[in-house]
């Protein structure tokens, strides 16, 4: 009798599990998912959107860490060894010695930025004699990375080719819609006020795509930053003076902090500008250049809204 009771209670426990199991859709089990490791979240967003529930995406340089100077830390080895695909930007972004050395020799590493350069080489910008790696700041150009990534993902997992191609097509449409939304929003700022000054040279692609006035020969005057392509806090007086002259020439009233860069350089500029009689302040809106708020497209839309709001408010009543 005792044995029957035990069997009955075990049976009653297992029956609900059986039905739960039957009702579950045939999705990929977590342990079966291919693992894609991305150096930065901007690449991670594309990989997640393309891979859906067939892949597991991990980001190496997380949060507010600086991708320009990131060095491998304890725990990274395991992520790298487990990865079926390692996506990085290239174009000189990941130049921390240990990470750069690994990317050079890793058999599963693929440079998204450099694949975009091969397709659209005239669109790659330069600063101080080196390539500008902040290519994601132009959403339409970053969308050129979808085809190369989907090619790599299909090579890693050919069985799910149609699934990845369909998701890639949807992502492309979404990115082109966001690109247009940002363009229309930023272009609503009068051209005489459409000048962006931030902490480091992360917004050149943004300036060329979204700030440039239609028919304008050059976009360079639309963007200025005291720190170079890789922020290091090392400012010289000539760089500071150049930015102050630029603020005065274009009657710029607001400069923007970036989320993962020290505000020291823009504070110095604003203090020096005020002493010279400029009406200038630091925006309360923070921009996302190297790091993200939310996902990549949300961060790009945040930047566009923050820039538009701040520039219009700063020039209100002029
Ligand atoms: Zn940067």
């Amino acid at each position: 009798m005792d044995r029957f009771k035990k069997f009955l209670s075990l049976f009653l426990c297992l029956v609900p599990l059986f039905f739960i199991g039957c009702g579950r859709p045939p999705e990929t089990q977590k342990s079966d998912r291919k693992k894609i490791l991305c150096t930065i979240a901007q690449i991670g967003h594309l990989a997640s959107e393309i891979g859906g529930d067939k892949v597991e995406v991990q980001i190496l340089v997380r949060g507010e860490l600086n991708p320009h100077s990131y060095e491998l830390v304890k725990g990274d080895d395991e992520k790298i060894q487990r990865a079926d695909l390692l996506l990085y930007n290239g174009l000189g972004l990941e130049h921390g010695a240990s990470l750069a050395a690994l990317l050079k020799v890793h058999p599963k590493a693929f440079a998204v930025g450099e694949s975009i350069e091969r397709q659209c080489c005239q669109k790659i910008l330069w600063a101080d004699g080196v390539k500008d790696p902040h290519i994601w700041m132009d959403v339409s150009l970053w969308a050129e990375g979808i085809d190369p990534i989907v090619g790599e993902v299909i090579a890693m997992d050919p069985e799910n080719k149609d699934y990845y191609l369909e998701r890639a097509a949807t992502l492309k449409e979404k990115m082109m819609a966001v690109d247009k939304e940002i363009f229309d929003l930023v272009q609503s700022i009068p051209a005489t006020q459409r000048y962006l000054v931030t902490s480091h040279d992360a917004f050149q692609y943004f300036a060329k795509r979204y700030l440039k006035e239609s028919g304008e020969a050059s976009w360079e005057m639309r963007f200025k930053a005291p720190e170079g392509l890789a922020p290091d806090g090392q400012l010289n007086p000539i760089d500071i003076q150049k930015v102050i002259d630029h603020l005065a020439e274009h009657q710029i009233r607001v400069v923007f902090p970036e989320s993962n860069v020290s505000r020291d350089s823009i504070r110095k500029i604003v203090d020096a500008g005020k002493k010279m009689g400029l009406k200038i302040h630091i925006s309360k809106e923070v921009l996302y250049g190297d790091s993200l708020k939310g996902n990549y497209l949300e961060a790009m839309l945040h930047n566009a809204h923050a820039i538009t709001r701040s520039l219009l408010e700063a020039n209100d009543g002029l």
Side-chain angles (χ1 to χ4, degrees):
M1 189 62 185
D2 275 356
R3 289 175 78 186
F4 177 72
K5 272 186 185 168
K6 272 185 192 167
F7 170 77
L8 188 65
S9 58
L10 184 64
F11 178 76
L12 289 173
C13 287
L14 289 176
V15 165
L17 292 177
F18 173 77
F19 282 110
I20 290 167
C22 288
R24 190 181 291 155
E27 58 186 43
T28 308
Q29 293 298 308
K30 218 171 180 181
S31 58
D32 297 338
R33 291 179 188 179
K34 295 287 182 184
K35 290 167 186 64
I36 304 178
L37 180 62
C38 305
T39 52
I40 55 173
Q42 291 86 341
I43 298 173
H45 182 71
L46 302 191
S48 300
E49 290 294 314
I50 292 167
D53 65 9
K54 308 286 184 209
V55 304
E56 183 187 326
V57 173
Q58 276 197 310
I59 311 297
L60 195 63
V61 185
R62 299 179 65 84
E64 300 288 285
L65 294 171
N66 182 346
H68 297 278
S69 55
Y70 184 81
E71 297 282 1
L72 297 175
V73 295
K74 202 178 166 206
D76 286 349
D77 275 1
E78 197 191 332
K79 291 179 198 164
I80 291 161
Q81 278 168 18
R82 287 172 66 227
D84 296 299
L85 178 61
L86 201 176
L87 298 175
Y88 69 104
N89 189 71
L91 301 174
L93 177 72
E94 300 93 340
H95 67 226
S98 55
L99 178 56
L102 172 96
L103 293 171
K104 227 180 252 176
V105 298
H106 196 289
K108 293 170 183 171
F110 179 77
V112 178
E114 286 166 19
S115 73
I116 295 174
E117 182 188 23
R118 285 193 288 277
Q119 299 171 72
C120 323
C121 78
Q122 300 96 329
K123 293 189 177 176
I124 298 301
L125 302 176
W126 291 67
D128 305 326
V130 293
K131 287 172 193 167
D132 181 346
H134 304 90
I135 191 167
W136 58 87
M137 297 305 291
D138 172 345
V139 178
S140 67
L141 193 54
W142 197 229
E144 299 287 347
I146 294 175
D147 285 345
I149 292 177
V150 82
E152 293 300 309
V153 172
I154 290 170
M156 171 188 76
D157 179 23
E159 268 183 33
N160 292 305
K161 181 181 174 182
D162 292 344
Y163 175 85
Y164 297 133
L165 285 174
E166 198 181 318
R167 291 186 65 93
T170 306
L171 176 61
K172 218 176 271 181
E173 271 176 33
K174 196 169 162 187
M175 286 178 73
M176 295 324 288
V178 170
D179 176 70
K180 186 177 183 312
E181 189 178 341
I182 294 173
F183 183 86
D184 291 345
L185 187 65
V186 175
Q187 289 281 314
S188 71
I189 307 166
T192 52
Q193 301 167 15
R194 208 183 306 131
Y195 295 98
L196 179 63
V197 177
T198 67
S199 304
H200 92 295
D201 263 347
F203 286 75
Q204 293 201 107
Y205 290 96
F206 186 94
K208 188 178 178 199
R209 176 71 179 164
Y210 306 113
L211 295 171
K212 184 173 167 281
E213 180 68 354
S214 169
E216 208 162 58
S218 166
W219 55 269
E220 276 93 345
M221 68 169 182
R222 297 281 169 194
F223 171 63
K224 203 105 185 145
E227 296 196 44
L229 289 173
D232 55 11
Q234 303 294 314
L235 275 192
N236 68 56
I238 297 168
D239 290 335
I240 293 179
Q241 191 55 49
K242 274 185 193 167
V243 179
I244 290 173
D245 291 346
H246 180 77
L247 294 173
E249 184 187 350
H250 299 290
Q251 298 178 349
I252 299 166
R253 289 166 171 257
V254 59
V255 300
F256 291 85
E258 288 175 50
S259 68
N260 71 331
V261 182
S262 159
R263 295 187 182 198
D264 286 355
S265 59
I266 56 171
R267 272 200 205 107
K268 279 181 195 161
I269 283 161
V270 167
D271 290 347
K274 278 181 177 166
K275 279 181 192 153
M276 289 173 61
L278 298 182
K279 286 180 178 166
I280 186 81
H281 67 274
I282 296 175
S283 172
K284 59 181 186 297
E285 310 259 19
V286 174
L287 302 186
Y288 295 88
D290 290 343
S291 62
L292 297 185
K293 179 193 186 186
N295 69 39
Y296 160 69
L297 290 178
E298 286 166 357
M300 289 301 296
L301 283 167
H302 161 89
N303 286 343
H305 281 282
I307 290 166
T308 306
R309 228 172 6 236
S310 266
L311 290 183
L312 291 177
E313 270 173 28
N315 291 284
D316 194 24
L318 289 181

